[in-house]
Amino acid sequence: MDKLLISGGTQLNGEIRISGSKNSALPILAATLLSDEAVTIRNLPHLHDVTTMIALLRCMGVDVIIDEQLGVEIRANTIEELTAPYELVKTMRASILVLGPMLAHFGEANVSFPGGCAIGSRPVDLHLRGLEALGATIVVDEGYIRATVDGRLKGANILMEMVTVGGTENIMMAAVLADGRTVIENAAREPEIVDLAECLNAMGAKVSGHGTQTITIDGVVSLHGCDYSVMPDRIETGTYLVAAAATGGHVKLKDTRHDILEAVLVKLEEAGAIITLGDDWIELDMKGERPKAVSIKTAPYPAFPTDMQAQFTAMNAIADGTSSVTETVFENRLNQTQEMNRMGANIVIEGNTAIIVGTEQLQSAPVMASDLRASASLVIAGLVAEGDTIVDRIYHIDRGYECIEEKLQMLGANIRRLPN
Ligand code: UD1
C-alpha cells in the first residue's frame, strides 16, 4: 500500500489549479444512464472514485470513450446488464447513485447493498423510500436491492425525513423521466445538487428549485445528449486553503469558485487569514502568522461542510487557543483525532464534539488514514509537524484528491509518495 512521506515545517506558497468536483462527477456520470444519446462530461477529476464509476458503467455494457483530457463520451443505449455488482459497489458507496436513473430509464435496477463504512452506518433507506413513493417495487434479496416498475414511474410529493445529498440526487434523477410532477421537500441544497440538476436540464429535463429546500421536477418522456463540464471541487479548494493557513502560508487557487465556500471562508478569516477573491480564484495569505483557533459545527449546506471538519481539526491542533469541533452529519467522524494526538495534539472527544487545545508544534509520527477527509487532515498535520511524518493507507486520499503530492510540491511542500 502506498504511503506519503512528509517533512514538515515549510510554509505553503504559490499557485495551483483546482480539479473538477468528485461529488458532482459521480452523480453526473450516473445521470448519463438516463439518455439513449451520447452525453459528454468534461472537467472530470482523475480519481479512483471516478474510475470506479466509469468501470461500473462499462461493466453493465455502457459504451464509454475517454479522451486524453479525461473528457468522457457515454452512450447508455448499449447497456446489457441492469446490475451493479458487489465487487464494485463495495469499493464505493456512491455506486448506489445508478439505482434511480437505471430504474427510471430501463424499468429495472439491481444494485448491491452498500455496506457500512468508517464514518458510520450510512443507510440508504431514504433513497429507497423515495423511489417507492414514485411507484417502484423494491425488494432486498441476497444482498441486492432489486427495484422494478411497470411502465413509467409516477410523479409524487416526497418529504425527506432528513437532509440527504445522495438520496436527493437518486430521487431527482428518477423523477426526471416519471409521468407527472415530483416535488421533493427538505431536499439537500448542496452545490453538487445544483450541478447535477443543471446537467439534467442540459439533457432536456425540467428541474427547478434546485439549491433550495424544495425541488420541483416535471417528468419528460426522454432525455437527449449534452456536453457538460462539472463544477470545481469546493472540498479540494477548502483543503488547500486550510493547509496553507495551518502553515502560515500564502496561496492562490485558480479555476475554483468562492460563492460555494462561504461558511469555510468566514472561518478562515476568523483564523486570521486575509482572503482575496476573483471571478474564478481565491487567494489566502496568513502573513506567516500562526492561525487562531476557530470553533465549528457541521451541518448540511449552506452551513459548515462535514467534509471540511477533519482539516479544520488539524489546523486547530496547532492554532493559538482552544476550540470545539462538533460533527452533526455523520457518526464516528472524529476518528482522525486519535492519530493527531499521537503527533502531540491535545484533543479530547466528548460525544460528537472534539475539544482541541492548540499546541505550538506537532511532532512527526507514523499515522494511518481511516477515511478520505481524515487522510487529508493527517497530511495537513504532517505539513506542520516537526520531522518526517509517514501517512499510511493513502488509497483513501487517491479516491478524492487529484495528484495531491504534485499539487503540494508545487506549493513548496516537502512531500513524496513511497510506493509499496
Ligand atoms: C455525500 C457526499 C459526502 C458528504 C455527504 C454530506 C458524495 C458522493 N458524498 O454523501 O462526501 O460527506 O454527502 O455532505 O456526494 N442518511 C440516512 N438515510 C439515507 C441516506 C442518508 O439516514 O437514506 C444519513 C446518513 O447516514 C448521514 C446523513 O444522512 O448521517 C447524510 O448523508 P448523505 O447526505 O446522504 O451523504 P452521502 O450522500 O452518502
Side-chain angles (χ1 to χ4, degrees):
M1 240 174 273
D2 286 5
K3 300 178 176 65
L4 283 176
L5 170 64
I6 307 163
S7 305
T10 315
Q11 287 180 356
L12 296 189
N13 275 299
E15 289 188 8
I16 52 165
R17 186 192 158 259
I18 294 302
S19 304
S21 161
K22 168 179 90 73
N23 287 355
S24 271
L26 298 176
I28 285 174
L29 284 169
T32 64
L33 286 166
L34 287 161
S35 174
D36 282 329
E37 295 181 15
V39 179
T40 301
I41 309 295
R42 300 187 195 279
N43 200 32
L44 287 173
H46 193 195
L47 296 173
H48 276 189
D49 275 7
V50 168
T51 316
T52 303
M53 187 58 93
I54 290 172
L56 178 55
L57 295 174
R58 276 195 166 139
C59 90
M60 297 191 293
V62 170
D63 194 20
V64 183
I65 302 168
I66 306 183
D67 70 27
E68 58 284 0
Q69 268 98 39
L70 210 74
V72 298
E73 186 188 287
I74 302 171
R75 272 172 209 276
N77 63 348
T78 57
I79 200 161
E80 288 157 3
E81 292 283 335
L82 298 173
T83 299
Y86 172 71
E87 291 65 38
L88 284 168
V89 177
K90 74 171 182 198
T91 67
M92 186 182 69
R93 271 183 53 83
S95 311
I96 189 74
L97 293 172
V98 301
L99 183 65
M102 197 152 53
L103 169 70
H105 190 177
F106 304 106
E108 183 187 333
N110 305 290
V111 179
S112 171
F113 218 98
C117 73
I119 57 171
S121 58
R122 296 180 88 174
V124 292
D125 54 322
L126 301 176
H127 300 231
L128 305 189
R129 256 192 264 161
L131 296 176
E132 278 173 339
L134 294 173
T137 302
I138 295 182
V139 288
V140 177
D141 179 26
E142 295 181 344
Y144 276 77
I145 301 163
R146 303 195 188 280
T148 50
V149 61
D150 209 359
R152 281 173 81 188
L153 293 167
K154 296 234 170 344
N157 287 344
I158 299 170
L159 171 63
M160 304 300 291
E161 195 179 291
M162 62 191 286
V163 177
T164 148
V165 175
T168 304
E169 290 166 345
N170 236 337
I171 296 165
M172 188 164 77
M173 287 189 280
V176 293
L177 290 182
D179 184 14
R181 172 171 284 194
T182 299
V183 179
I184 309 175
E185 300 276 9
N186 198 26
R189 289 184 277 168
E190 268 65 6
E192 293 77 15
I193 301 274
V194 175
D195 210 26
L196 171 63
E198 283 175 4
C199 177
L200 291 169
N201 285 345
M203 293 165 75
K206 292 191 176 141
V207 182
S208 58
H210 39 291
T212 76
Q213 283 170 342
T214 307
I215 300 178
T216 303
I217 303 131
D218 286 306
V220 295
V221 173
S222 64
L223 294 187
H224 51 69
C226 76
D227 191 317
Y228 194 82
S229 197
V230 304
M231 67 173 206
D233 197 307
R234 65 190 166 106
I235 306 301
E236 189 198 22
T237 307
T239 301
Y240 286 107
L241 290 175
V242 174
T247 64
H250 180 184
V251 296
K252 183 172 182 180
L253 308 182
K254 297 184 294 187
D255 294 343
T256 188
R257 276 172 55 183
H258 56 79
D259 58 313
I260 49 179
L261 266 158
E262 256 173 55
V264 170
L265 296 178
V266 164
K267 287 293 169 185
L268 285 168
E269 281 181 330
E270 207 180 306
I274 298 162
I275 308 248
T276 317
L277 306 175
D279 277 352
D280 63 351
W281 55 265
I282 303 175
E283 193 169 335
L284 173 144
D285 191 357
M286 285 298 285
K287 303 262 183 218
E289 297 291 324
R290 180 181 174 198
K292 295 195 248 319
V294 288
S295 292
I296 56 168
K297 184 177 180 181
T298 68
Y301 191 85
F304 191 91
T306 174
D307 285 350
M308 285 302 304
Q309 176 261 106
Q311 300 86 319
F312 268 76
T313 304
M315 182 178 79
N316 280 335
I318 53 92
D320 182 12
T322 299
S323 57
S324 68
V325 169
T326 303
E327 173 59 52
T328 76
V329 179
F330 288 111
E331 318 154 32
N332 307 331
R333 213 182 185 180
L334 293 165
N335 293 337
Q336 77 284 358
T337 55
Q338 290 163 9
E339 293 298 278
M340 285 180 196
N341 281 347
R342 295 182 51 247
M343 297 175 73
N346 184 349
I347 308 176
V348 177
I349 303 294
E350 287 177 8
N352 62 346
T353 298
I355 309 292
I356 307 161
V357 181
T359 54
E360 214 151 321
Q361 186 69 65
L362 293 181
Q363 311 302 323
S364 61
V367 287
M368 189 119 73
S370 58
D371 76 56
L372 168 56
R373 306 304 167 186
S375 348
S377 73
L378 294 175
V379 170
I380 293 172
L383 289 170
V384 293
E386 202 168 54
D388 292 346
T389 297
I390 292 182
V391 184
D392 202 348
R393 293 208 184 155
I394 56 152
Y395 58 85
H396 289 295
I397 223 165
D398 294 329
R399 289 186 35 222
Y401 291 91
E402 185 175 62
C403 306
I404 188 163
E405 68 269 34
E406 286 87 351
K407 287 190 182 186
L408 284 171
Q409 282 162 4
M410 283 171 77
L411 297 176
N414 198 336
I415 179 169
R416 72 188 162 89
R417 187 173 289 249
L418 303 176
N420 196 15

